[in-house]
Amino acid sequence: MQEQWINYGKQYLANTYNRFPIVITKGERCWIWDMDGRRYLDFLSGIAVCNLGHAQKDVVESLTVQAGKLFHISNLFYMEQQIKAAKILVEHSFGDKVFFCNSGAEANEAAIKLARRYSWKKYGADRYEIISMENSFHGRTLATLSATGQTKFQEGFSPLLSGFTYVPFNDMESLKKTVSNKTCAVILELIQAEGGVYLADKKYVRKLREFTKEKDILLILDEVQTGIGRTGKLFAYEHYDIEPDIMSLAKALGNGFPVGAIIGKDDVMQAFEPGTHASTFGGNPLASSAVIATLNTITDENILKNCINLGMYLHKGLLALKEKYPFIVEIRGIGLIWGIELSIDGDPLVKEFLQEGVIINCTKGNILRLVPPLIIKNEEIDIFLEIADRIFERHIKAVNSR
């Protein structure tokens, strides 16, 4: 039966993903089930989306209650749930105001527009350039694709939006040389997740913050993947003792319900006025209910502590594997976002993990990305490590037998 549905998918769905050859029908905590009833340990969380795991009871209850009251009314009205969601985000962050949208790309698109609008109002039309990082990923709309520092995602979509330049990640001198009187903002991921799980250096980030303040250049942090607890703090910028001017969020913000947001300082957010930017569905009652339940659960139920402790437990296990297998080049990450850089092709290993009942993915061709739910338990990490050990051992034996 599963094969038939996969064939339907190939027939009717746009060919924009290399999909796993299974049809998922159910999820609970850190586990998902396919159409044939086989269970898989989910170390991908819908690409860092389901931070509280699948079918989390508070999110389900919140959505169920709200669905019985009101789905949608448009942003032409004030909405109680939307205001509550914004209030929680403001109370737990550097920001003063929130704009809701539907996705990470849409959030970064809004951040780009806000930065340009703010600079236009303050300095005029010639200050519009945005500096991005090489190896970055900010989304697949045309503006966020233009901000992305990886040519492989841009191929075939020219002409891109003008006004974006790219500098090496963690290189302050290159950034200083690139800044001009046309620069209005810098956009940065504190962890380049899609780029291979590379972490920004703390000294670099602090110098960057000081420099952008000195030049009155806005600092946009893309926390679409690192936000909502993934690193062990609610937002990754809290590890760096700095505050941005604008921050973009999505993925885990609704624990699986589609919602994105930008949070900004009041003086920056004032650049948006009625008619300058909008989102029809952004932060509607259902999405906002999911945000409220997600944030209340993460901040009230010790999820962040579990993320830190289990992240350290996973890291220790990964380091043991690195000692054992020479094709593991580096282990890097924080909290529960980890990359295993290999000297071999990672895609065949991802398929072997799937056959063994574990879901992970591979970025850059040779970096295995691990982003399990933040509620994961020791015994579930042990299952992953045992399976990884078995797969890596098979690879060594296969190489030695050639």
Side-chain angles (χ1 to χ4, degrees):
M1 180 188 293
Q2 200 159 204
E3 186 176 349
Q4 182 182 11
W5 279 99
I6 291 170
N7 288 333
Y8 285 153
K10 290 177 179 176
Q11 180 178 351
Y12 295 116
L13 296 174
N15 187 28
T16 53
Y17 285 89
N18 286 318
R19 297 174 190 264
F20 291 105
I22 51 177
V23 182
I24 299 300
T25 56
K26 190 178 81 169
E28 184 179 341
R29 289 184 59 83
C30 302
W31 298 86
I32 53 178
W33 284 260
D34 71 14
M35 184 173 272
D36 293 335
R38 188 180 181 201
R39 190 175 76 150
Y40 300 83
L41 180 58
D42 187 2
F43 257 60
L44 188 56
S45 304
I47 313 182
V49 165
C50 299
N51 280 7
L52 295 174
H54 299 279
Q56 201 279 334
K57 62 180 178 59
D58 294 328
V59 178
V60 171
E61 183 179 345
S62 181
L63 282 168
T64 303
V65 171
Q66 186 57 47
K69 294 180 179 177
L70 184 68
F71 273 41
H72 180 79
I73 194 61
S74 99
N75 284 300
L76 293 174
F77 298 87
Y78 287 105
M79 290 170 265
E80 180 185 5
Q81 297 301 88
Q82 188 183 78
I83 295 166
K84 285 181 179 176
K87 183 171 181 286
I88 297 171
L89 282 170
V90 166
E91 288 173 347
H92 286 89
S93 76
F94 70 95
D96 302 305
K97 282 187 168 55
V98 180
F99 169 79
F100 285 109
C101 51
N102 306 289
S103 68
E106 210 182 319
N108 282 329
E109 186 94 13
I112 290 165
K113 287 184 68 177
L114 178 61
R116 287 188 168 182
R117 179 84 182 178
Y118 171 83
S119 191
W120 175 79
K121 292 184 75 172
K122 195 170 181 180
Y123 296 101
D126 291 333
R127 202 169 185 267
Y128 58 89
E129 289 185 351
I130 295 175
I131 297 177
S132 177
M133 304 297 141
E134 294 176 0
N135 198 44
S136 61
F137 181 80
H138 297 294
R140 295 179 186 273
T141 65
L142 203 53
T144 57
L145 202 58
S146 304
T148 292
Q150 297 188 64
T151 54
K152 71 173 185 178
F153 292 111
Q154 299 167 339
E155 186 179 344
F157 296 109
S158 295
L160 298 174
L161 198 65
S162 62
F164 292 91
T165 54
Y166 316 98
V167 297
F169 190 50
N170 279 332
D171 187 338
M172 195 62 215
E173 291 308 309
S174 292
L175 187 136
K176 284 183 176 178
K177 289 176 184 174
T178 305
V179 164
S180 72
N181 57 9
K182 292 185 177 180
T183 307
C184 74
V186 173
I187 184 167
L188 173 73
E189 297 165 286
L190 293 170
I191 300 177
Q192 291 187 332
E194 177 63 36
V197 193
Y198 290 95
L199 277 67
D201 179 75
K202 286 188 177 180
K203 289 182 180 177
Y204 164 77
V205 172
R206 288 168 188 161
K207 287 181 180 176
L208 173 62
R209 178 66 283 196
E210 289 175 12
F211 180 73
T212 50
K213 279 185 176 177
E214 178 188 322
K215 299 290 184 182
D216 197 18
I217 294 168
L218 297 181
L219 177 61
I220 304 168
L221 292 185
D222 178 346
E223 291 230 28
V224 167
Q225 188 155 160
T226 56
I228 321 301
R230 175 56 58 184
T231 66
K233 291 185 181 292
L234 193 57
F235 307 112
Y237 77 80
E238 297 174 76
H239 292 284
Y240 291 83
D241 298 322
I242 59 118
E243 291 184 349
D245 299 295
I246 305 169
M247 175 172 65
S248 57
L249 300 169
K251 287 195 180 288
L253 185 57
N255 201 54
F257 197 93
V259 58
I262 58 169
I263 304 173
K265 299 277 193 183
D266 194 45
D267 62 327
V268 178
M269 294 296 279
Q270 294 293 344
F272 273 168
E273 302 165 44
T276 53
H277 193 62
S279 172
T280 296
F281 295 106
N284 77 7
L286 278 176
S288 295
S289 295
V291 171
I292 294 167
T294 300
L295 290 172
N296 283 341
T297 304
I298 281 190
T299 54
D300 289 351
E301 292 193 5
N302 229 6
I303 302 293
L304 299 180
K305 187 176 179 181
N306 191 69
C307 176
I308 293 169
N309 291 341
L310 274 291
M312 291 169 64
Y313 186 73
L314 175 59
H315 185 213
K316 184 179 177 182
L318 294 175
L319 288 177
L321 291 174
K322 181 177 181 298
E323 287 294 312
K324 191 174 179 181
Y325 299 105
F327 58 83
I328 298 178
V329 176
E330 187 178 21
I331 306 292
R332 53 178 177 265
I334 185 173
L336 280 169
I337 175 169
W338 291 95
I340 308 173
E341 183 171 348
L342 309 172
S343 61
I344 59 175
D345 185 2
D347 286 326
L349 296 183
V350 171
K351 292 175 183 173
E352 288 198 51
F353 272 97
L354 181 67
Q355 289 167 0
E356 293 270 8
V358 176
I359 307 289
I360 63 170
N361 84 331
C362 179
T363 67
K364 309 287 285 185
N366 68 324
I367 299 164
L368 305 180
R369 178 170 47 173
L370 314 177
V371 280
L374 310 187
I375 58 168
I376 198 159
K377 299 175 181 175
N378 293 67
E379 52 265 36
E380 290 164 332
I381 287 179
D382 288 341
I383 291 171
F384 167 82
L385 291 171
E386 288 170 14
I387 289 173
D389 192 20
R390 191 156 63 237
I391 290 171
F392 294 163
E393 180 71 30
R394 276 206 303 266
H395 174 77
I396 289 288
K397 286 182 178 175
V399 170
N400 291 338
S401 66
R402 289 171 191 162

